[in-house]
Amino acid sequence: MRSKGQIEHDETDVADPRELEFQALIDSDQRIEPRDWMPDGYRKSLIRQIAQHAHSEIVGMQPEGNWITRAPSLRRKAILMAKVQDEAGHGLYLYCAAETLGVDRSELIDLLDQGRQKYSSIFNYPTLTWADVGAIGWLVDGAAITNQIPLCRCSFGPYARAMVRVCKEESFHQRQGFESLYALSHGTTEQHAMAQDAVNRWWWPSVEMLGPPDTESTHSAQSMAWGIKRFSNDELRQRFIDMVAPQAVVLGLTPPDPELRWNEERGHYDFGKPDFEELRRVVGGDGPCNRQRAAHHLKAQEDGAWVRAAAAAYATKHPAASAAA
Ligand code: 3HC
């Protein structure tokens, strides 16, 4: 016969078989699907990250959308329109992926508009000249794909699958940014100066957008154990610098980091310390454009309410036609 202590001990030791099955799937690099049991923390962490990611895609349309009417040629305008449209599509895939976890996208959008969910710090910086569109493509989309390629192997199936398509489009975005900046950098003296100025302003915010340093990252350890994140913030930051530093040479532009240099011994570029205090401030709501971005998003939501209501009314009236669409 077992003592009370033994019973208590045995009971706490017996893991939930569903938890074991879940961990076995993660450990064997299988995907968790929406129908599978998952710990509450895993579900919550995914909703948090996917929602933040979706919001970033949508708010991220604002800084570049600002230049659609002022693009310097029809070709550049067509490319920029397609790119901004791609970002809207990425937001939709991501809201759909979040919905498989049992939340509704309208709840997530409300949380964003109430300031209770975040979007990426990077979209709180202004686009002052046409060269900023090139710098965003090269640096911001460059940092975004460095972070997102590993997410194609994220343990949650719908998020990983959404990322495959997103990454294909993002890599096109990065190339178009590079090409646009290259044209400016190799143009007139004024164009070169405009490209350099854009790189001076976008370099550090792009390095910082990969998140706080590992020592201050609250979610990394658990997200990595769950196979949501495959690399830490600092590992991705190093990968990003290693990718863009040699590209800057081809562009003929100088990153605003006097400490940037190849380290033969490490097989990586050394770089200066990002201003994580600034990242904290911008994430906390005090960046150059936080208020403007939030107000614009809220206004677009309100202005579009009648369209959503009309679409919902149509879907109720004609369910077959709506399902086919
Ligand atoms: N901007 C805003 N918030 C940030 C941030 C940033 N650049 N970096 C970190 N944070 C927040 C985190 O969300 C977390 O806050 P929370 O607890 O309130 O959610 C806090 O700072 C601590 O950071 P952690 O490192 O602990 O957070 P994560 O482990 O989640 O890592 C991340 C942060 C690397 C951004 C990760 O969430 C991630 O990989 N997300 C998916 C990709 C994504 O959202 N990218 C945004 C850019 S998308 C884009 O750029 C669109 C493209 O079209 C250009």
Side-chain angles (χ1 to χ4, degrees):
M1 202 175 148
R2 293 185 294 182
S3 70
K4 184 166 180 287
Q6 264 180 317
I7 290 170
E8 278 168 4
H9 177 78
D10 289 348
E11 278 175 357
T12 49
D13 257 4
V14 176
D16 184 333
R18 297 172 305 178
E19 183 122 28
L20 291 177
E21 206 177 310
F22 168 83
Q23 200 54 51
L25 283 172
I26 301 266
D27 294 345
S28 58
D29 216 9
Q30 310 268 328
R31 297 282 167 270
I32 305 297
E33 295 299 336
R35 64 174 178 273
D36 294 333
W37 181 87
M38 60 187 81
D40 232 30
Y42 179 80
R43 184 185 299 277
K44 282 191 186 137
S45 202
L46 276 168
I47 293 173
R48 175 191 65 80
Q49 177 167 327
I50 301 174
Q52 174 172 325
H53 195 165
H55 301 328
S56 303
E57 301 283 354
I58 298 301
V59 177
M61 293 162 73
Q62 292 186 37
E64 289 185 287
N66 181 34
W67 279 93
I68 290 176
T69 54
R70 293 177 287 160
S73 68
L74 185 59
R75 175 173 170 265
R76 294 286 179 202
K77 188 196 282 273
I79 293 171
L80 186 56
M81 279 172 63
K83 182 182 184 240
V84 172
Q85 243 171 3
D86 282 353
E87 309 298 0
H90 298 173
L92 293 184
Y93 308 152
L94 287 160
Y95 285 126
C96 287
E99 283 187 323
T100 68
L101 290 158
V103 283
D104 191 88
R105 89 177 63 171
S106 60
E107 280 171 55
L108 302 178
I109 292 170
D110 285 347
L111 289 171
L112 171 69
D113 286 333
Q114 292 158 15
R116 290 166 59 203
Q117 274 183 351
K118 298 186 166 88
Y119 59 88
S120 179
S121 53
I122 195 72
F123 300 118
N124 292 306
Y125 291 85
T127 40
L128 303 179
T129 71
W130 168 251
D132 288 30
V133 171
I136 289 180
W138 177 45
L139 293 172
V140 176
D141 294 310
I145 46 176
T146 307
N147 163 282
Q148 289 171 16
I149 286 171
L151 289 175
C152 297
R153 294 189 294 115
C154 161
S155 58
F156 186 57
Y159 192 23
R161 288 189 288 275
M163 280 300 109
V164 172
R165 176 135 179 213
V166 168
C167 285
K168 285 192 178 140
E169 292 174 355
E170 292 295 0
S171 85
F172 161 75
H173 294 173
Q174 204 225 0
R175 281 174 219 183
Q176 70 78 35
F178 181 91
E179 194 265 340
S180 176
L181 267 191
Y182 187 95
L184 288 174
S185 175
H186 294 81
T188 64
T189 310
E190 289 79 7
Q191 286 173 325
H192 179 88
M194 186 164 74
Q196 181 62 55
D197 171 63
V199 169
N200 291 348
R201 285 180 291 104
W202 287 92
W203 180 267
W204 285 113
S206 303
V207 173
E208 288 150 18
M209 74 180 263
L210 290 155
D214 292 353
T215 47
E216 291 167 30
S217 167
T218 40
H219 302 292
S220 281
Q222 183 60 71
S223 286
M224 288 173 80
W226 276 332
I228 298 173
K229 269 171 113 159
R230 297 282 170 168
F231 298 96
S232 75
N233 299 352
D234 288 336
E235 284 168 337
L236 291 174
R237 205 170 344 264
Q238 181 70 63
R239 280 184 174 211
F240 170 62
I241 297 276
D242 288 348
M243 174 177 78
V244 290
Q247 291 176 353
V249 177
V250 179
L251 282 172
L253 297 168
T254 311
D257 179 358
E259 293 175 52
L260 183 69
R261 68 180 58 86
W262 178 250
N263 182 327
E264 193 64 53
E265 212 173 294
R266 290 200 313 120
H268 291 290
Y269 282 85
D270 288 339
F271 57 100
K273 192 173 175 335
D275 185 350
F276 290 118
E277 195 40 55
E278 172 171 320
L279 175 68
R280 243 190 309 277
R281 266 200 318 276
V282 177
V283 172
D286 204 15
C289 299
N290 293 60
R291 288 164 195 82
Q292 182 185 335
R293 301 290 183 243
H296 187 91
H297 185 269
L298 187 60
K299 181 170 185 314
Q301 272 304 104
E302 287 167 359
D303 289 351
W306 71 271
V307 180
R308 292 191 299 278
Y314 183 83
T316 312
K317 244 179 175 171
H318 307 282
S322 301

